[in-house]
Amino acid sequence: MATARRRKIVAGNWKMNKTVPEALALVRDLRAQVASLGDTVEVVVAPPFVALQPLHVALEGAPLALAGQNCHWESSGAFTGEISAPMLAELGCAYVIVGHSERRQLFGDTDAQVNKRAKAVRAAGMTPIICVGETLAEREADQTLAVVERQVRGALEGFEAKDVASFVLAYEPVWAIGTGRNATAAQAQEVHAAIRGLVERLYDGETAGRVRIQYGGSVKADNAAELLGQPDVDGALVGGASLKAGDFAAIVKAAT
Ligand code: PEP
């Protein structure tokens, strides 16, 4: 596998939290706290859809990228309540999270739908952050690598190496999300290395060396440095701890 220097990427998934005024206050604070870090680490925030436009305006020129939390695979049409990838691109999103476990578990997202969403994101000129991860029952049944492999294969179906090299994959064990129980650094590294190995088998060493793989699941200021210090952990996808500027900034600092 080609050795590549991958720029770390730390993304905050705010889920269904923060009103527009609260969102503006949070990024103002965050911007000030990460200003001194330069471009050593890429920082992304994924607010609720309604906050994207105001944040796009407020963040002009700031080293903070915007992400959508999901999108539909069609560009427009009779899909009440849905948001399309071109709409997110127009609001300044550089990334869109697809396949988050809450989408899979609560809204029935399948691997095939995650693939269609990722294709729409790519077609709209953005980068998907593709989430995968096993449940506790799957881990206890020793199915972790098989589940994650199935999810990664499904999400990447039909993509070429040049696409995948620029993608972000996020390994998020479901049992670690919002539970305060993070994977150990060794558990995370094992799965990340397996995912990178799979990308090498599906594509080539160059692509595997370039694709970035985030860890997500109860990342906090006090465990971030160890998780992010693993050779195949290229960043973090952060839920709860991204809702306070100081907590999120501490994780970003741990990535530098
Ligand atoms: C997430 O929802 O992607 C996540 C990782 O949440 P938390 O950090 O709260 O576990």
Side-chain angles (χ1 to χ4, degrees):
M1 191 186 304
T3 48
R5 261 186 74 78
R6 296 178 293 270
R7 189 174 168 220
K8 292 247 192 307
I9 175 166
V10 177
N13 173 15
W14 297 1
K15 313 190 186 192
M16 198 172 69
N17 293 297
K18 304 290 177 189
T19 62
V20 170
E22 289 169 347
L24 285 165
L26 176 53
V27 290
R28 225 172 273 130
D29 206 356
L30 184 61
R31 183 178 184 169
Q33 298 204 32
V34 301
S36 62
L37 302 176
D39 60 2
T40 50
V41 51
E42 196 172 349
V43 185
V44 182
V45 292
F49 290 132
V50 291
L52 284 169
Q53 170 68 5
L55 292 199
H56 180 38
V57 174
L59 289 175
E60 206 190 325
L64 286 177
L66 279 178
Q69 295 179 13
N70 182 38
C71 69
H72 197 269
W73 49 86
E74 296 291 345
S75 315
S76 62
F79 301 100
T80 302
E82 294 292 320
I83 305 276
S84 76
M87 290 171 180
L88 296 177
E90 195 184 20
L91 294 184
C93 288
Y95 295 92
V96 182
I97 299 169
V98 296
H100 190 279
S101 64
E102 286 153 17
R103 298 293 323 173
R104 293 177 189 263
Q105 295 203 315
L106 303 175
F107 302 99
D109 272 22
T110 63
D111 290 333
Q113 288 173 339
V114 173
N115 178 248
K116 289 204 282 185
R117 295 187 204 283
K119 285 189 172 135
V121 171
R122 189 80 197 115
M126 301 176 290
T127 301
I129 298 177
I130 299 170
C131 302
V132 298
E134 82 288 0
T135 63
L136 186 59
E138 289 163 342
R139 174 161 283 268
E140 286 173 350
D142 213 11
Q143 288 297 304
T144 298
L145 297 183
V147 168
V148 168
E149 172 163 342
R150 189 204 74 226
Q151 293 173 331
V152 172
R153 280 180 182 273
L156 298 183
E157 178 77 43
F159 280 113
E160 296 177 11
K162 66 175 169 27
D163 297 314
V164 176
S166 70
F167 284 3
V168 178
L169 304 176
Y171 168 55
E172 298 207 305
V174 179
W175 48 269
I177 294 181
T179 59
R181 180 186 167 194
N182 60 284
T184 64
Q187 285 172 326
Q189 170 56 25
E190 182 196 14
V191 180
H192 282 231
I195 293 172
R196 203 177 300 287
L198 173 62
V199 172
E200 181 165 20
R201 294 203 306 282
L202 293 174
Y203 296 94
D204 50 53
E206 163 85 20
T207 306
R210 286 178 54 200
V211 69
R212 291 183 292 177
I213 310 174
Q214 294 175 311
Y215 167 78
S218 296
V219 177
K220 305 266 183 290
D222 61 5
N223 59 25
E226 196 187 356
L227 286 159
L228 288 161
Q230 301 305 304
D232 287 297
V233 178
D234 306 314
L237 182 54
V238 184
S242 69
L243 296 173
K244 287 196 182 139
D247 294 351
F248 190 58
I251 295 169
V252 173
K253 280 177 196 146
T256 58

